[in-house]
Amino acid sequence: ELSFGAGQMEAVITVTIKAVARLDTIDTFRIILSEPTGGATLNDTRDGGAEKNILTVMIEGDKSHKDRIDKIKSIMHVSWDKSAVGHANWASQFKDAIAVNGGGDDDDD
């Protein structure tokens, strides 16, 4: 419930906005004022008419944050690829070191 004093034209509504994982979306919610009491009226020329006033709030992520996160993801992906190649080389060397005389199962007796 939102209460206005006599002659008051503005009020503050506190809204908690929870973080989302995706930065490339636009989140939207609406604030609807309805059923005024105490002689208050709503502006019938606004969205919703005389019965209610509707405010649509759109929250768009900061593009600079998205660009920064995309860059970090790209760097991590390159590092991961290098790690995968390093792991493959290490695994091959380890298998060769364990095999007798460095040979595999296909050696002649």
Side-chain angles (χ1 to χ4, degrees):
E1 181 174 313
L2 181 63
S3 298
F4 288 84
Q8 183 179 356
M9 301 294 291
E10 297 179 7
V12 175
I13 300 171
T14 302
V15 178
T16 301
I17 301 172
K18 296 184 178 185
V20 294
R22 296 193 54 167
L23 294 174
D24 56 351
T25 61
I26 297 175
D27 293 315
T28 307
F29 66 92
R30 289 192 171 130
I31 298 173
I32 301 172
L33 300 178
S34 61
E35 302 178 18
T37 60
T41 58
L42 298 172
N43 187 337
D44 61 356
T45 63
R46 300 290 182 180
D47 192 15
E51 294 181 12
K52 59 185 167 191
N53 281 170
I54 302 170
L55 169 68
T56 301
V57 179
M58 298 174 71
I59 302 172
E60 185 174 1
D62 186 340
K63 183 168 175 17
S64 66
H65 293 298
K66 181 183 181 319
D67 293 344
R68 189 174 20 220
I69 289 173
D70 287 345
K71 185 175 181 179
I72 291 169
K73 283 172 51 178
S74 176
I75 290 168
M76 290 177 65
H77 183 70
V78 169
S79 295
W80 182 254
D81 289 345
K82 287 180 181 177
S83 295
V85 169
H87 174 75
N89 290 339
W90 174 84
S92 175
Q93 291 171 6
F94 186 75
K95 289 175 187 175
D96 289 346
I98 290 181
V100 177
N101 294 327
D105 291 339
D106 57 352
D107 288 343
D108 294 327
D109 289 324

